[in-house]
Amino acid sequence: MDVIQTNSLTKTYDGKGGISDVTLSVGEGIVYGFLGPNGSGKSTFVRTLLGLLQPTSGEGYILGEPIGTTKSREQVGYLPELFRYPDWLTGKQLLESHADLCKIPVRQRNKRIEEVIELVGMTGRDNGRISGFSKGMSQRIGLACAILNDPKVIFLDEPTSALDPIGRKDVRDLMVYLRDQGKTVFLNSHLLYEVESVCDHVSIVHQGEMIAQGPWRELMMTEAQVEIVTEGSISAPFPPFITDYQKGKAEEGRTRWVVQLETEKDIPKILHHLSSRHIDVYEVKPINPHLEDVFMHWVNRKKESAYVDNQ
Amino acid sequence: MWTISKLTFKEIVSKRIFMITIVMTLIFLALYGTAIYFAGKEGAEVGDGGQGTEAILLQQFVSSQLLGVGLYFSSFITALLAILSSVSTISGEVSSHQIDTWLMRPISRSQFVLGKFMGLAFLMIAYAVCLFFSIILLHQGIGTDWMALNLQPMQLIKAVSVFAIQPFVLIAFGLLLSTRMTTLNAGIVSIMLYGAAFIGGFIEQFGALVEKTSLVNIGIIMSLVFPIDSMYRKMTILLFDTADNPLSLAQGGMFTSISTPGNVMVWYAVLYGVVAVILAIYSFKNRDV
């Protein structure tokens, strides 16, 4: 079953900004990355799913329940980007209040609170007032709130924005842990490495539009780059699937090349091509593209198609 | 809903402004008690041992006036506290995004608004009732026999019930504004309306004294727009039983009433508060936060 499903979900502010026409399905037990630069509409999308914003059009479901209903939020956790908690409460009191709202049975409450406090690395610091917490501690207690009710789906909106490198790693480990527990994590982030390191599926959003989505590995196969070591030179004419190439350093008669192919499927073809021209190949190594490159590829592709449409 | 009520109650209590109000209230009560004590002591020595007509009139005037002053000031600080605590209750949380983590829980918007209202109303009504009885106790207990008025238990119950309607209406109205306006705007609108109701009340009393219907009508219209001062006036009627008494304004000064708000006005004020809460729920139901 799809944990999250939206059909043309749109939220705009007086016809401007926000996010438009998002159709996606998020399966169970994955970390789903919602990737885009600041101001691209990621938070608007999550806040619309959680009923904090009213959709302008379209529809959405969480665990089969229409968004905006209390039922749709029963098994959901959320860490907002702009996390702010009542500073007159202690960390533990905050969790107790949320446990009340989630109707966690009194007998299980303390045990569960202790568990989540330990999971987010706040043991021994939960009895302090939130007013005395650093931003990182507030974000950690926010994470504890988000997972307190053992939700099936957890929305994390820029969950590492206030954390140091150790804290960021802790959160990435926590996301993997939650996924391994069968939970679905919907990660909003503009940090490419964060998405790259934990996400199974990714949507790329730009200027309020979703421009690509799919399994991370498939999205990465936009263009394939291979590093090839040959004896002798590669020379024209080139087959059409080679879109670009760069000559690297030559040592002991062997030359290193970085060749750009249309897709990953063209790797066997280039080997075939080189052997047909009697060029000895000593090494072929695929180069994984960086998320930046993938992101920019999809952004540029969207811009090009928009340009063609306008023409 | 009760969790939100509990949190709202605790939040107000934890605020510094509430602690300051409590300390200032205690100072006010101490000053009031001192004034009552000396007024009672001095008053008993004036006149023919309190037996002559002049002495009785003086006792009635001073005693009811001092009780009226105490209750008017109590009404004023209760109103200010009710306004200041209610106008920020939703708008403040929306602007800080603190509301996000509450509203994403499986509670409806109406439960959230009602929870806020219950927490605030319970606290402010409790404060108003405590203040009311503190004034009565000081007046009747410290001011010697000369100062004491003949107040029956039923009179007190009725009067305090009407006195408590004021914070009820103010909180409901403040909450309604808070669902749509910023804290500052909602505060300005509430305080201006409170001031207008206050002035309308005096105009009505003056109109009744000089028998000018147009002035009385201005006061009535103002009471319909914001039924706060009329509740104070009704409370004094119930307490001093001065309605239709030509001496009542002279007896009680400007802090008691000569123009009588009817029982319908009491029900109108209650209905006004209930409608304001319903409108607050409706207004907040579909708004973006």
Side-chain angles (χ1 to χ4, degrees):
Chain A
M1 186 182 85
D2 287 330
V3 173
I4 304 164
Q5 196 193 346
T6 64
N7 299 319
S8 301
L9 190 64
T10 298
K11 173 63 191 176
T12 53
Y13 305 95
D14 298 324
K16 295 173 201 159
I19 192 151
S20 299
D21 204 22
V22 176
T23 299
L24 58 76
S25 298
V26 179
E28 207 172 344
I30 60 165
V31 181
Y32 191 99
F34 207 56
L35 177 69
N38 290 331
S40 57
K42 303 186 300 293
S43 296
T44 297
F45 181 69
V46 168
R47 288 161 58 74
T48 308
L49 286 177
L50 292 171
L52 300 172
L53 302 174
Q54 303 297 319
T56 308
S57 62
E59 54 186 13
Y61 301 89
I62 298 177
L63 297 162
E65 299 293 338
I67 57 169
T69 59
T70 52
K71 245 183 152 18
S72 72
R73 300 193 292 270
E74 273 177 2
Q75 296 185 71
V76 170
Y78 172 49
L79 172 70
E81 182 186 13
L82 301 165
F83 50 92
R84 178 91 188 267
Y85 301 98
D87 55 7
W88 48 276
L89 288 176
T90 66
K92 194 169 182 186
Q93 285 170 339
L94 176 75
L95 294 172
E96 283 167 352
S97 304
H98 278 270
D100 267 353
L101 289 173
C102 298
K103 298 184 176 73
I104 296 175
V106 180
R107 284 181 191 171
Q108 299 165 17
R109 190 165 299 178
N110 283 343
K111 189 169 169 270
R112 181 63 190 157
I113 287 173
E114 277 170 25
E115 276 172 14
V116 293
I117 283 172
E118 197 183 332
L119 268 174
V120 300
M122 285 285 286
T123 309
R125 293 185 287 178
D126 55 302
N127 281 319
R129 275 188 189 266
I130 293 173
S131 56
F133 282 7
S134 65
K135 272 188 103 178
M137 283 165 76
S138 295
Q139 197 156 29
R140 282 173 188 266
I141 206 76
L143 269 169
C145 266
I147 58 174
L148 180 68
N149 56 333
D150 196 22
K152 285 189 175 168
V153 52
I154 302 126
F155 293 91
L156 303 177
D157 196 351
E158 307 284 3
T160 59
S161 58
L163 298 177
D164 55 24
I166 297 168
R168 278 183 226 142
K169 187 186 176 305
D170 288 348
V171 171
R172 284 200 294 273
D173 291 346
L174 180 65
M175 284 191 270
V176 172
Y177 168 79
L178 292 168
R179 180 185 61 192
D180 293 345
Q181 298 279 308
K183 318 286 184 197
T184 300
V185 179
F186 191 96
L187 171 66
N188 257 12
S189 184
H190 70 279
L191 300 174
L192 299 162
Y193 67 87
E194 192 168 87
V195 174
E196 194 172 29
S197 56
V198 290
C199 292
D200 310 290
H201 280 60
V202 172
S203 281
I204 297 174
V205 283
H206 184 61
Q207 292 178 345
E209 278 184 76
M210 195 164 77
I211 55 177
Q213 66 164 319
W216 172 228
R217 292 215 64 78
E218 283 177 23
L219 281 184
M220 270 175 46
M221 287 176 197
T222 49
E223 285 178 326
Q225 269 190 336
V226 283
E227 195 177 68
I228 301 173
V229 179
T230 60
E231 194 165 80
S233 236
I234 305 174
S235 55
F238 296 114
F241 55 82
I242 294 180
T243 55
D244 196 10
Y245 75 97
Q246 274 182 324
K247 191 177 175 184
K249 54 182 180 178
E251 283 174 6
E252 297 170 6
R254 290 175 190 176
T255 313
R256 200 168 284 273
W257 307 83
V258 176
V259 180
Q260 187 91 36
L261 304 169
E262 276 183 342
T263 71
E264 206 178 36
K265 288 173 185 167
D266 296 326
I267 295 174
K269 286 187 197 166
I270 192 168
L271 281 174
H272 195 70
H273 169 76
L274 293 172
S275 66
S276 69
R277 299 186 70 180
H278 307 292
I279 297 172
D280 293 333
V281 178
Y282 287 84
E283 195 179 323
V284 179
K285 194 166 75 180
I287 301 170
N288 284 331
H290 280 290
L291 194 54
E292 278 95 341
D293 303 326
V294 177
F295 182 77
M296 288 317 296
H297 165 85
W298 289 105
V299 169
N300 290 334
R301 208 166 119 165
K302 181 72 188 174
K303 278 181 185 166
E304 279 162 20
S305 71
Y307 177 74
V308 171
D309 289 347
N310 288 339
Q311 291 297 302
Chain B
M1 185 174 82
W2 297 115
T3 308
I4 300 295
S5 297
K6 222 161 54 181
L7 279 166
T8 308
F9 184 92
K10 283 185 188 169
E11 184 178 6
I12 301 288
V13 171
S14 74
K15 278 185 179 171
R16 189 167 292 173
I17 184 72
F18 188 78
M19 287 316 295
I20 292 170
T21 308
I22 295 294
V23 170
M24 296 305 286
T25 304
L26 292 174
I27 293 171
F28 158 65
L29 289 174
L31 286 171
Y32 182 72
T34 310
I36 288 291
Y37 173 74
F38 284 107
K41 203 175 156 192
E42 301 288 323
E45 292 163 9
V46 177
D48 193 13
Q51 298 302 311
T53 313
E54 191 185 331
I56 290 169
L57 276 174
L58 183 72
Q59 187 269 340
Q60 286 288 302
F61 174 74
V62 172
S63 184
S64 58
Q65 173 117 334
L66 283 174
L67 184 56
V69 168
L71 290 173
Y72 202 91
F73 189 71
S74 302
S75 158
F76 178 70
I77 51 178
T78 305
L80 277 188
L81 196 57
I83 289 171
L84 294 177
S85 55
S86 61
V87 291
S88 66
T89 190
I90 287 178
S91 58
E93 289 202 16
V94 170
S95 63
S96 70
H97 285 281
Q98 199 170 290
I99 205 165
D100 292 8
T101 50
W102 300 127
L103 287 184
M104 62 71 50
R105 292 299 179 197
I107 56 164
S108 64
R109 297 272 181 109
S110 50
Q111 283 175 315
F112 185 81
V113 174
L114 268 179
K116 284 273 175 195
F117 175 73
M118 301 285 241
L120 278 171
F122 181 76
L123 181 66
M124 291 315 305
I125 289 172
Y127 175 80
V129 169
C130 287
L131 200 50
F132 178 89
F133 281 113
S134 300
I135 294 290
I136 297 288
L137 283 174
L138 286 173
H139 184 270
Q140 300 291 90
I142 291 178
T144 71
D145 288 345
W146 184 82
M147 184 62 78
L149 290 167
N150 182 22
L151 300 174
Q152 300 302 312
M154 198 40 105
Q155 251 181 309
L156 289 173
I157 291 168
K158 283 182 181 172
V160 78
S161 305
V162 173
F163 190 73
I165 292 173
Q166 293 178 86
F168 171 81
V169 171
L170 285 167
I171 286 164
F173 188 75
L175 192 71
L176 169 62
L177 296 185
S178 184
T179 60
R180 283 285 155 186
M181 292 180 180
T182 62
T183 303
L184 184 65
N185 291 347
I188 289 170
V189 171
S190 292
I191 287 176
M192 284 187 78
L193 274 172
Y194 178 74
F198 173 87
I199 290 165
F202 275 114
I203 291 172
E204 186 183 342
Q205 299 312 310
F206 186 70
L209 185 69
V210 298
E211 294 179 351
K212 290 284 180 197
T213 317
S214 56
L215 293 182
V216 173
N217 287 344
I218 289 170
I220 291 170
I221 290 167
M222 209 48 239
S223 293
L224 291 172
V225 173
F226 208 50
I228 293 299
D229 193 73
S230 55
M231 288 305 98
Y232 173 79
R233 302 286 166 191
K234 181 69 184 175
M235 183 273 295
T236 62
I237 297 290
L238 292 167
L239 205 56
F240 300 134
D241 197 18
T242 56
D244 302 325
N245 179 352
L247 280 176
S248 59
L249 192 68
Q251 274 183 355
M254 291 305 280
F255 299 103
T256 55
S257 308
I258 188 165
S259 174
T260 325
N263 288 335
V264 176
M265 184 51 92
V266 175
W267 289 113
Y268 173 80
V270 173
L271 189 68
Y272 188 97
V274 172
V275 170
V277 174
I278 292 169
L279 286 176
I281 290 170
Y282 181 77
S283 155
F284 193 58
K285 198 170 183 173
N286 293 317
R287 75 159 279 192
D288 291 342
V289 297

